[in-house]
Amino acid sequence: MEKSKRHQQGMEIIKKYEDPSDNPSYSITFDSLMDLDSELENYIVEFAFGDIYSREGLSDKKKTLITISSLVTQGLEPQLKLHVNIGLTIGLTQKEIVGAIIHLLPYTGFPRVLNALKVAKEVFTEREIK
């Protein structure tokens, strides 16, 4: 079955965002959820990456900082880990990621920011970033 243009665009973005080491904890993977719904991958690849992430107007770094900020405010730590990894892969620095998270203190509060910093620190440690 031929994949749509949206799917192809989405996969191009995903490949750009994946860590070159191909470590599964850094990668955007759907395998563990595919048995729940065979269309789940298409929803994620086509909509999130093929439609949204492929839009012009913001750099990959800005898109990722926005995503990290949104995930922090929602307390979505598993997804935050993925996007902190993506940020590092596309060239965000540890200082930029930590700065974005700390900037959320007055808007989100200490518990979510501290939890997010813990996730970021775990990623930095896994990726051996000092």
Side-chain angles (χ1 to χ4, degrees), residues 33-79:
L33 301 174
M34 289 306 101
D35 61 331
L36 297 175
D37 187 321
S38 62
E39 288 297 308
L40 182 59
E41 179 179 2
N42 283 334
Y43 301 147
I44 295 168
V45 173
E46 290 182 0
F47 177 66
F49 292 95
D51 291 342
I52 303 302
Y53 271 87
S54 66
R55 290 174 47 90
E56 294 181 10
L58 294 172
S59 69
D60 289 338
K61 289 180 179 182
K62 287 179 181 176
K63 289 175 189 176
T64 301
L65 284 174
I66 291 167
T67 302
I68 288 170
S69 297
S70 178
L71 295 170
V72 171
T73 63
Q74 297 176 78
L76 300 173
E77 294 167 12
Q79 293 79 11

Side-chain angles (χ1 to χ4, degrees), residues 73-113:
T73 63
Q74 297 176 78
L76 300 173
E77 294 167 12
Q79 293 79 11
L80 177 61
K81 181 176 182 176
L82 169 68
H83 288 278
V84 168
N85 270 302
I86 288 172
L88 294 170
T89 298
I90 63 169
L92 286 173
T93 66
Q94 176 180 345
K95 187 173 184 173
E96 289 171 316
I97 293 168
V98 169
I101 294 170
I102 289 176
H103 183 77
L104 297 170
L105 269 171
Y107 308 102
T108 305
F110 278 94
R112 287 206 170 150
V113 166

